[in-house]
């Protein structure tokens, strides 16, 4: 069964450093998403991406965040200058024509 | 008011019990509704969609009341493996084919022997 994959599973970084979180969506899906979940809190929408551009972004997704689909298979989330409060689980999701979103296993980002 | 509200629990129930979770949502223009399940430190997984007519999948029954903006999930004959956090999820009023999922904070269920 096709699945969404994410790398790395855990990323530790120093405050102020740039991180890139990687996702490989399901191959024939067209809509891609990033969500985050701070420990003990709810899952929050960050951004949706379709046809190589952002469809919608949340207030959390400020100028420090960017997304890219550089090669037609990977879907990346970049945080330019990480803050302590960026520590969270980041989930990638992809959606096909059926409408259901399939989530990857997540990347745990720890900012020290 | 929160967009999606759930009782955080935890609900501690014995195996075989019936347990019900409730959820309310604030935006009357919301289009679609779901229950997801999330195990500790794992990704959310779709449990079932929720329709106005109500729908059942084995031991799980979901109901939607649009007038009250209320969603429910009933689990019958609880199993140990049902222990997880149950997330109420709503799709907001968007256009263009993409679906922005709005999650509740989740209700934790612990089923004990």
């Amino acid at each position: 069964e096709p699945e969404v994959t994410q790398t790395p599973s855990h990323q530790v970084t120093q405050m102020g450093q740039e991180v890139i979180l990687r996702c490989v969506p399901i191959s024939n899906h067209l809509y891609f998403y990033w969500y985050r979940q701070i420990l003990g809190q709810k899952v929050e929408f960050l951004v949706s991406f379709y046809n190589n551009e952002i469809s919608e972004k949340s207030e959390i997704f400020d100028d420090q965040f960017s997304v890219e689909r550089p090669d037609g298979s990977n879907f990346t989330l970049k945080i330019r200058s990480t803050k302590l409060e960026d520590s969270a689980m980041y989930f990638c999701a992809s959606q096909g024509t059926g409408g259901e979103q399939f989530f990857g296993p997540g990347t745990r980002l720890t900012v020290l | 008011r929160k967009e999606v509200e759930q009782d955080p629990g935890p609900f501690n129930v014995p195996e075989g019990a019936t347990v019900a979770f409730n959820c309310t949502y604030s935006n009357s223009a919301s289009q679609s509704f779901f229950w997801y399940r999330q195990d500790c430190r794992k990704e959310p997984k779709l449990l079932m969609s929720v329709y106005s007519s109500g729908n059942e999948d084995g031991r799980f029954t979901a109901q939607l009341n649009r007038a009250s903006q209320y969603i429910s999930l009933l689990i019958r004959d609880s199993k140990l493996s049902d222990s997880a956090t149950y997330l109420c999820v709503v799709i907001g009023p968007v256009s263009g084919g993409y679906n922005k999922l709005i999650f509740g904070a989740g209700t934790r269920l612990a089923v004990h022997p």
Side-chain angles (χ1 to χ4, degrees):
Chain A
E1 184 177 318
E3 57 183 20
V4 178
T5 59
Q6 289 186 243
T7 53
S9 56
H10 191 187
Q11 173 92 49
V12 182
T13 190
Q14 296 288 327
M15 193 169 56
Q17 295 297 303
E18 175 183 286
V19 294
I20 298 176
L21 310 183
R22 291 185 167 78
C23 169
V24 179
I26 294 171
S27 63
N28 60 347
H29 284 188
L30 300 176
Y31 302 92
F32 313 108
Y33 305 83
W34 285 99
Y35 294 84
R36 82 168 186 192
Q37 186 175 31
I38 295 170
L39 187 63
Q41 298 187 24
K42 66 178 183 177
V43 177
E44 299 174 289
F45 169 82
L46 289 179
V47 66
S48 59
F49 190 84
Y50 169 71
N51 201 24
N52 281 318
E53 58 184 34
I54 290 174
S55 312
E56 184 175 346
K57 57 185 180 180
S58 71
E59 291 174 357
I60 304 166
F61 195 90
D62 62 21
D63 292 345
Q64 294 301 310
F65 290 85
S66 62
V67 289
E68 201 175 38
R69 195 145 189 258
D71 57 13
S73 61
N74 289 286
F75 178 50
T76 62
L77 174 69
K78 182 194 290 187
I79 309 175
R80 256 179 283 278
S81 177
T82 49
K83 308 189 220 12
L84 295 176
E85 55 265 36
D86 293 328
S87 294
M89 195 78 165
Y90 288 80
F91 294 108
C92 171
S94 73
Q95 175 193 327
T97 53
E100 181 183 345
Q101 288 186 29
F102 294 84
F103 283 77
T107 293
R108 179 167 300 283
L109 176 65
T110 302
V111 182
L112 303 176
Chain B
R1 183 179 170 187
K2 291 179 187 173
E3 290 183 281
V4 180
E5 287 205 66
Q6 295 182 249
D7 180 342
F11 283 56
N12 292 300
V13 303
E15 274 186 290
T18 296
V19 61
F21 304 137
N22 303 318
C23 166
T24 57
Y25 59 95
S26 61
N27 191 335
S28 59
S30 298
Q31 297 177 338
S32 303
F33 310 90
F34 307 91
W35 284 100
Y36 275 70
R37 170 193 168 125
Q38 187 175 30
D39 292 290
C40 189
R41 294 177 179 258
K42 301 283 191 182
E43 73 273 26
K45 290 189 176 174
L46 179 64
L47 181 65
M48 60 196 304
S49 303
V50 188
Y51 305 114
S52 297
S53 53
N55 49 302
E56 189 174 307
D57 183 1
R59 297 181 293 108
F60 300 84
T61 301
Q63 295 273 357
L64 166 66
N65 183 323
R66 283 190 184 269
S68 305
Q69 295 176 211
Y70 171 91
I71 305 161
S72 66
L73 176 68
L74 184 77
I75 305 175
R76 289 181 298 278
D77 188 22
S78 301
K79 312 287 184 198
L80 295 175
S81 56
D82 293 334
S83 298
T85 297
Y86 290 83
L87 309 176
C88 179
V89 180
V90 168
I91 290 182
V94 296
S95 61
Y98 71 92
N99 294 327
K100 171 185 166 184
L101 299 185
I102 302 168
F103 286 80
T107 300
R108 198 152 58 86
L109 172 65
V111 182
H112 57 82

